[in-house]
Amino acid sequence: MRPAKYDDLITVKTTLKELPLHHKIVFHSEIYNEENTLLSAGEVTLYFMETATMKRCNIPEQLKDKLIPYFNLI
C-alpha cells in the first residue's frame, strides 16, 4: 500500500480472527508507521504437521487450550 522508509519506526499488529480448530492457523498482520498510517496488510497460513509422516494433523491441545481464553466461546 505504502512504503516504509529507512529509520522509520513501524508497528506490526498480528491477530487471530478465529480460533484454529483443525489443521491450520491463519495469522492476519498489519504494518503501521509512527503516524499510525497503514502501510501493508497480509496473512500467513501455517499447517500443523506430524514430523514423522509430514501429514496434516489437528492443532495441539496445549496450544488450543492457551488460545481459547482469547475467544468468546460459550
Side-chain angles (χ1 to χ4, degrees):
M1 294 178 212
R2 294 170 187 82
K5 298 182 179 113
Y6 190 75
D7 281 343
D8 278 355
L9 293 178
I10 60 169
T11 300
V12 179
K13 296 180 182 179
T14 302
T15 59
L16 293 174
K17 293 184 179 178
E18 58 188 34
L19 177 66
L21 296 175
H22 301 293
H23 59 271
K24 69 179 179 178
I25 187 168
V26 181
F27 296 96
H28 301 271
S29 297
E30 297 175 335
I31 300 173
Y32 294 88
N33 63 12
E34 291 176 90
E35 291 78 37
N36 206 33
T37 302
L38 180 64
L39 302 179
S40 184
E43 65 181 35
V44 174
T45 303
L46 301 176
Y47 289 89
F48 299 103
M49 310 283 279
E50 291 286 345
T51 54
T53 63
M54 294 306 291
K55 292 189 181 210
R56 292 179 187 172
C57 64
N58 287 335
I59 182 173
E61 286 300 316
Q62 284 180 314
L63 178 57
K64 186 169 140 184
D65 292 344
K66 295 278 187 186
L67 293 175
I68 285 175
Y70 297 98
F71 295 87
N72 292 326
L73 302 177
I74 296 173

